[in-house]
Amino acid sequence: MPKLPSALRKPSKPGERGNGARRNGGATGEPEAHPVRGKVKDGAIDVVGWVDQRTGASPFLTGLLLRKVPKGTNWFYTLGSATLFAFVVQALTGVFLAMYYVPSATEAYESISHLTNDVFLGEFVRGLHKWGATMMIILIFLHMGRTFFFGAYKYPRELNWVIGVVLLILTLVMGLTGYLLPFDNRSYWATIVAMNITASGPIVGPYLADFLRAGSEFTATTLPRFYSIHMLLVPGLIIALIGAHLYLVVKLGTTAPPWLRAQAKPKSLREEKVG
């Protein structure tokens, strides 16, 4: 596996700063490097090396950014990264919306209306968050479909598949809890229907519905409950599971497409299986 340059792993000594620029000039006849640019570059290398010595992050970054990928890798393998990008967009736009949103049954709709009509770029950011949620759900379904049909859920990646299933469920929970937040007629009655469906589930269904509603009935405390789940509980779980998911991807590597794995199978084994 390729390694990071040594200059990025260890900070240069104070006496070595700028030596490369001085060595390149004069004796070899090459033009001397720009002194300010050389100092900035050496300073950046020193900072990266200082952080790396104290965190030991270079092995993980090397495995994540410089890891080998199997032959036959195509655009289907970018669906996971696209889902991650969609989540980052949701997180950033969600922070902006939270600056103006009031999780109150009497003020939620007015705060959304103010955000949409009065705040600069508020309608754009809200639309980006709304349609980004739909896009994230579509992407995570496509990513898991690719994983299933390519057989990437098999040994030794079963745990990563389980984590992906949990991430899918949490993404759907994010969509459910976020749908109520505008608190208009459509979101209110749609959430009522969703809670009734949840309460009809076996054994844990009624308890789960009571937890989401913050009681046995849909009251004014339901909206703050949905807001806290949407903004704090579920995003924290998603971030933690994404970290574990990426760690296992780096550790276990990426699977080759099934048609290439079949071609790579030894001929003798194929003959024995046929016989």
Side-chain angles (χ1 to χ4, degrees), residues 141-164:
F141 268 105
L142 292 176
H143 176 53
M144 296 199 67
R146 197 280 303 174
T147 303
F148 178 79
F149 288 110
F150 281 31
Y153 62 92
K154 299 178 181 179
Y155 175 85
R157 299 173 179 83
E158 301 95 333
L159 179 59
N160 222 14
W161 171 258
V162 173
I163 292 176

Side-chain angles (χ1 to χ4, degrees), residues 176-198:
L176 172 65
T177 54
Y179 195 80
L180 176 67
L181 299 186
F183 213 64
D184 52 9
N185 284 329
R186 181 173 59 181
S187 63
Y188 174 83
W189 290 110
T191 306
I192 290 288
V193 173
M195 291 300 96
N196 291 336
I197 294 175
T198 303

Side-chain angles (χ1 to χ4, degrees), residues 87 90-92 94-95 129 136 167 170-171 173-175 177 226-243:
F87 173 73
Q90 290 301 100
L92 295 177
V95 170
H129 191 78
M136 182 177 174
L167 284 172
L170 291 177
T171 302
V173 172
M174 285 283 287
T177 54
F226 269 58
Y227 180 72
S228 61
I229 294 174
H230 184 78
M231 284 294 298
L232 299 174
L233 179 61
V234 178
L237 293 174
I238 289 179
I239 292 173
L241 290 176
I242 286 177

Side-chain angles (χ1 to χ4, degrees), residues 69-131:
V69 294
K71 293 181 179 180
T73 302
N74 50 41
W75 285 100
F76 288 110
Y77 286 81
T78 64
L79 291 171
S81 300
T83 307
L84 177 60
F85 176 77
F87 173 73
V88 172
V89 171
Q90 290 301 100
L92 295 177
T93 54
V95 170
F96 176 82
L97 296 178
M99 295 178 182
Y100 299 92
Y101 181 73
V102 180
S104 169
T106 57
E107 301 179 53
Y109 183 79
E110 287 74 12
S111 65
I112 289 293
S113 179
H114 167 68
L115 171 67
T116 304
N117 301 319
D118 302 329
V119 177
F120 177 68
L121 292 180
E123 185 176 9
F124 171 76
V125 176
R126 185 191 172 196
L128 192 63
H129 191 78
K130 174 184 176 181
W131 294 108

